[in-house]
Amino acid sequence: MNNVHGILLIIGSMAAFALEDMFIKHLSITVPTGQIMIALGLVCGLVFVLMSLATRKRIFDPEAWKGLPLARAGAEAVGALTFVTALSLVELSTVAAVFQAMPLAVTTGAALFLGEQVGWRRWSAIGIGFIGVLMIIRPGLEGFQPESLFVVATVIAIAARDLITRKLDVRVASSVVAMQAYIAVALAGAVLMVFLAQPVVPLQSTQVGPYLGAIGFGVLGYYGIVTAMRIGEASALTPFRYSRLVFSIAAGMLMFGERPDLMTVAGAALILGSGMYTFVRERRLARAMAVAA
């Protein structure tokens, strides 16, 4: 295991994902969200098709096209739809802050649907993280943006995706799973364009750079995470996923002139703190179980 290189790759991946979000938000000013999803889904899907072929993975393995993998792709599509919509309507820093609650949502889902044991300490941390989310979106208070609920929907969808991933057959290649996800994203974008009657915007020269940036950094971020998890220990790398929030806030401030207020910063701090506590607690429990075995 090479945790130092793994940590550097994770931080680089989080920076890449923050830049992808920035380019998507920039595109959403002039391009319908459905069209953005179609473009990202088709191009990134093609990348993973080529990756599967290059590594001789079975794209049409029957196990990859059963109900569970398709349900995962559906959850990915819903998460992408709500996430891109949120990016087009809400400040980048707010989207990134609420999205950090995703590990807490995964822990909650694992307890409710997978039968995993969660003690009162971790339930308390989850509750504190939820308070942080409420502080950022502020339902019923002045400054509340109903559009921020799209981020909450994204957290739920992506948590469902990750929980389903735990149940996937190990024989299904990661590149095939990623390909399915991006195909689902493209299909969801097409449905969105039809349902909302969004017009097709011809490609303009000023949009080429943002498109390439969103696609390129998205693929780099995914590749970086996969590589990091193969060379480093997940327990050592996971805390550095939270660096995405720092990069997103910086991108929002530099590119869009965003200035997160005190309530948003405080809510983000609660989410990060509760997430880190949950991670540390799970690591201790894993060590205790290993010693007992």
Side-chain angles (χ1 to χ4, degrees):
M1 290 294 182
N2 191 331
N3 288 335
V4 174
H5 287 171
I7 288 170
L8 293 176
L9 280 170
I10 284 289
I11 294 174
S13 297
M14 294 303 103
F17 283 135
L19 289 171
E20 178 193 22
D21 296 344
M22 180 191 74
F23 283 118
I24 291 174
K25 185 172 181 63
H26 179 73
L27 279 172
S28 68
I29 298 173
T30 57
V31 181
T33 51
Q35 185 172 331
I36 295 173
M37 292 175 63
I38 292 173
L40 293 177
L42 291 179
V43 177
C44 293
L46 178 60
V47 169
F48 287 107
V49 167
L50 296 175
M51 187 181 296
S52 298
L53 294 175
T55 55
R56 297 186 178 182
K57 304 299 183 184
R58 294 178 60 193
I59 294 177
F60 296 105
D61 186 333
E63 291 295 330
W65 298 94
K66 290 185 176 180
L68 212 56
L70 295 180
R72 183 197 181 279
E76 183 85 61
V78 173
L81 192 154
T82 53
F83 189 72
V84 172
T85 302
L87 284 174
S88 69
L89 299 173
V90 185
E91 289 190 351
L92 180 59
S93 54
T94 298
V95 174
V98 176
F99 190 71
Q100 299 309 308
M102 199 267 291
L104 301 176
V106 171
T107 300
T108 302
L112 296 177
F113 302 110
L114 300 183
E116 294 187 11
Q117 296 297 317
V118 176
W120 68 268
R121 293 181 180 85
R122 283 187 288 171
W123 279 122
S124 298
I126 290 169
I128 292 172
F130 181 66
I131 292 173
V133 172
L134 293 179
M135 290 174 64
I136 295 170
I137 62 177
R138 296 163 224 181
L141 300 178
E142 185 179 355
F144 169 60
Q145 291 181 280
E147 298 86 356
S148 60
L149 295 177
F150 280 112
V151 197
V152 178
T154 301
V155 169
I156 295 172
I158 298 303
R161 178 204 68 184
D162 287 355
L163 292 171
I164 294 172
T165 302
R166 296 186 183 186
K167 295 295 184 178
L168 291 182
D169 193 307
V170 294
R171 292 172 293 178
V172 180
S174 297
S175 58
V176 176
V177 172
M179 178 202 71
Q180 291 175 324
Y182 279 114
I183 291 174
V185 168
L187 291 174
V191 170
L192 182 64
M193 291 194 73
V194 172
F195 184 74
L196 297 182
Q198 294 180 345
V200 176
V201 176
L203 180 64
Q204 302 174 11
S205 59
T206 55
Q207 296 168 351
V208 174
Y211 266 122
L212 292 177
I215 293 168
F217 283 114
V219 172
L220 284 174
Y222 182 88
Y223 180 79
I225 280 186
V226 171
T227 304
M229 290 303 177
R230 286 181 173 177
I231 68 173
E233 296 175 305
S235 59
L237 305 183
T238 298
F240 293 91
R241 285 177 176 265
Y242 289 109
S243 61
R244 181 173 181 170
L245 178 58
V246 177
F247 293 123
S248 294
I249 289 177
M253 294 176 67
L254 293 174
M255 293 298 297
F256 306 108
E258 298 176 0
R259 293 294 183 270
D261 59 19
L262 183 59
M263 186 77 81
T264 298
V265 173
L270 281 181
I271 294 171
L272 292 177
S274 58
M276 289 297 297
Y277 175 81
T278 300
F279 163 76
V280 170
R281 182 65 182 170
E282 289 180 350
R283 191 176 183 183
R284 288 177 179 173
L285 291 176
R287 286 178 175 175
M289 292 177 62
V291 171

